[in-house]
Amino acid sequence: MPNSDSPSSSQDESGDLTCSVCDQPAKGKHFGAIACRACAAFYRRADACKTNVKACKKGGNCQSLVNNNGWFDCKYCRLQKCYQVGMNTTNFQFDRDPISTKFKGSEVPKSMECFLGRPHCVIFVKPEKVQVKKDLIDCNDLMKKATKIFVEGCETPLHGKTNLLKLAEALQNLEKAHNSGPVKLVTKYGKEEVLSFFEQDFLKATAWFNYYNEFTELETETKLEMMQAMWHVWSRLYKLATAANGKRRKVCEDQLLLISHESEYTVMDLTKIEFDYSWCTKYSNEQMQHFIDNTENSFLYKLVNYMVDLKPSDAELSFMICQACFHYAGQRFNGKIAEICEKFEKKLADELHDFYVDEWRMPNYSGRLSLMLRINNWIKEDIWKCRQKQEIAELFDVYCIEYSHPEIFKDI
């Protein structure tokens, strides 16, 4: 076969190789060039359907072809780079792995997990035979606290001209409160920490939405129903922005930065922290990785660098949070709430336009808006993946707890 090494030689040399396309660690030769598996898979798909690869918006002159994580922002330029380093489909290396030399069928057989549609830890469990005694997590007191926030109104009167500017000012107040406090390193993440973070995030999101005028005019039951759906979307984006801010300020590097208590930053070192799931499941931490991915390699943590590059203003971040929350709630509910969310989204889009034009004197803001919505879409994709995992967990009684208000935890 032309321009390819033998299987043994490529495997021996793969230890210190660097991908010639994205500069990430490589695993040997692919299509005639030293490349990582991600770039090899991309080239195989892209070369087979070139018509689906849109032309570069900058005429093939992207200044930042690849970011620090090996993620490309332009498929066209990535494909051109593959060609430049000598990748060619005629250099495909057959029978490279031992399994491929033994199996000569028309397709690779499915794994048990793929065939049954279950993670490994529940492959041999029949739903009708599973009987797990569950402890109740009572959220009634939390609902009373949220209702009190709605009844009492905003904690601090704000005077922004629009909802967007009021919400931005509310974010500033949150940031000032935490900047004045110490930084705490969490070494264990168990029941106490999980429930504490959950309650704080829920109540902070509730208080923050209290600054949206039209939202406060809704009936209390409607607001509580929407908050049960939106709080975790709020939490994802707020923590993502906080982690990016901490990385820019060098409060943390490759750690996840969370918020805890009224005036305290909380930092988790994901390579050292001890996760304790024994209070909510009988499965081991390793088995629970299918349902709860808290490692530094998980999808959401990879978005931090995108948020660092974007560096959104408080008004932009407020728009991102509201757009993601209202769009998600609109899809989750039908009828009245879906109509309300659609109206809120439109109003916020108009206010963001006025902010760019009047405050920033930036009539051409499509590039920033595109990146903001791209980050939001990635978060929404992750939420729907979580939904699928939680449906499997519920079907096979993976958790030994239940909540008085299960709608709060549907997609976390």
Side-chain angles (χ1 to χ4, degrees):
M1 182 179 59
N3 298 328
S4 61
D5 297 332
S6 66
S8 60
S9 62
S10 61
Q11 290 173 358
D12 293 339
E13 297 170 358
S14 63
D16 299 319
L17 295 180
T18 300
C19 177
S20 55
V21 179
C22 68
D23 296 327
Q24 298 298 299
K27 297 295 182 181
K29 275 194 173 184
H30 298 274
F31 300 104
I34 301 297
C36 64
R37 289 170 180 166
C39 286
F42 165 81
Y43 176 76
R44 183 178 64 251
R45 296 191 303 268
D47 186 74
C49 50
K50 301 183 182 67
T51 56
N52 292 337
V53 179
K54 297 181 180 179
C56 177
K57 295 180 179 180
K58 298 183 179 180
N61 294 316
C62 288
Q63 296 300 316
S64 56
L65 185 63
V66 60
N67 67 19
N68 294 332
N69 280 336
W71 288 22
F72 284 78
D73 292 324
C74 178
K75 293 182 179 179
Y76 177 87
C77 289
R78 185 180 189 182
L79 182 58
Q80 298 309 308
K81 184 68 178 292
C82 291
Y83 291 144
Q84 291 173 15
V85 300
M87 297 182 81
N88 192 307
T89 52
T90 60
N91 291 332
F92 184 82
Q93 187 171 344
F94 294 96
D95 295 337
R96 177 175 189 143
D97 299 314
I99 189 172
S100 65
T101 61
K102 296 176 182 179
F103 181 74
K104 298 298 183 180
S106 58
E107 61 179 29
V108 177
K110 295 181 178 179
S111 66
M112 286 296 292
E113 291 180 279
C114 180
F115 179 75
L116 295 174
R118 310 176 189 175
H120 186 269
C121 61
V122 294
I123 280 180
F124 303 106
V125 178
K126 291 185 177 181
E128 63 271 18
K129 292 186 178 181
V130 176
Q131 293 182 349
V132 179
K133 182 179 179 181
K134 296 189 176 184
D135 296 325
L136 178 67
I137 305 295
D138 191 351
C139 302
N140 285 296
D141 186 54
L142 178 64
M143 292 297 102
K144 292 179 181 178
K145 292 179 181 179
T147 302
K148 183 179 179 181
I149 290 175
F150 287 137
V151 171
E152 294 180 349
C154 302
E155 296 179 1
T156 305
L158 301 179
H159 307 288
K161 294 182 293 184
T162 64
N163 288 314
L164 190 63
L165 295 180
K166 284 184 178 180
L167 293 172
E169 191 174 343
L171 283 181
Q172 292 174 7
N173 291 341
L174 278 177
E175 183 66 18
K176 289 177 183 177
H178 294 109
N179 280 342
S180 61
V183 176
K184 177 183 177 181
L185 179 64
V186 173
T187 57
K188 182 178 179 180
Y189 195 67
K191 180 178 181 180
E192 182 180 350
E193 291 78 16
V194 169
L195 297 182
S196 175
F197 281 124
F198 149 62
E199 179 172 332
Q200 290 174 51
D201 288 345
F202 189 93
L203 295 179
K204 283 179 183 177
T206 301
W208 188 76
F209 275 107
N210 235 11
Y211 290 100
Y212 193 104
N213 293 337
E214 286 77 6
F215 182 79
T216 60
E217 296 172 359
L218 300 175
E219 295 179 357
T220 301
E221 290 185 3
T222 302
K223 289 187 286 189
L224 287 174
E225 188 175 5
M226 291 178 66
M227 287 310 307
Q228 290 181 60
M230 297 190 304
W231 76 272
H232 67 91
V233 184
W234 182 94
S235 177
R236 276 174 163 89
L237 266 163
Y238 182 66
K239 289 177 179 178
L240 183 64
T242 305
N245 187 39
K247 201 166 185 179
R248 283 193 299 267
R249 294 171 49 214
K250 299 190 182 303
V251 174
C252 66
E253 291 299 329
D254 294 326
Q255 300 163 322
L256 174 63
L257 188 67
L258 299 176
I259 299 297
S260 175
H261 305 299
E262 290 297 325
S263 59
E264 192 175 72
Y265 272 133
T266 299
V267 178
M268 291 183 178
D269 187 340
L270 297 171
T271 61
K272 299 178 182 178
I273 191 170
E274 176 188 352
F275 290 100
D276 177 18
Y277 301 129
S278 60
W279 63 278
C280 64
T281 184
K282 301 303 180 184
Y283 291 103
S284 67
N285 284 9
E286 182 179 1
Q287 291 170 323
M288 289 302 295
Q289 281 300 305
H290 176 84
F291 303 102
I292 308 173
D293 189 358
N294 284 321
T295 68
E296 67 276 15
N297 296 319
S298 70
F299 175 76
L300 279 179
Y301 302 152
K302 294 179 180 179
L303 297 182
V304 172
N305 287 329
Y306 281 92
M307 192 68 85
V308 170
D309 295 337
L310 176 62
K311 197 177 180 180
S313 66
D314 292 312
E316 289 177 314
L317 180 58
S318 297
F319 171 80
M320 290 177 68
I321 293 174
C322 286
Q323 192 276 335
C325 288
F326 291 140
H327 185 79
Y328 169 76
Q331 288 187 325
R332 181 159 157 176
F333 300 106
N334 295 316
K336 178 183 175 182
I337 291 181
E339 294 176 3
I340 290 171
C341 291
E342 184 178 355
K343 182 168 63 176
F344 285 175
E345 280 191 78
K346 186 178 184 305
K347 183 175 180 62
L348 282 166
D350 292 338
E351 291 182 359
L352 181 68
H353 170 80
D354 294 339
F355 169 78
Y356 278 129
V357 174
D358 299 336
E359 301 288 335
W360 278 16
R361 300 291 190 271
M362 183 193 292
N364 186 13
Y365 53 84
S366 59
R368 289 190 65 80
L369 180 61
S370 176
L371 183 54
M372 290 159 59
L373 295 179
R374 191 186 309 172
I375 293 174
N376 276 12
N377 287 335
W378 283 330
I379 289 177
K380 292 169 193 172
E381 289 176 8
D382 187 68
I383 289 174
W384 291 116
K385 289 178 182 178
C386 289
R387 167 81 65 88
Q388 296 172 353
K389 293 179 180 180
Q390 295 311 319
E391 287 175 348
I392 294 175
E394 183 179 354
L395 179 63
F396 293 99
D397 275 331
V398 170
Y399 294 103
C400 57
I401 56 172
E402 59 184 357
Y403 299 93
S404 60
H405 294 69
E407 288 299 310
I408 302 178
F409 306 93
K410 191 170 184 177
D411 293 322
I412 64 172

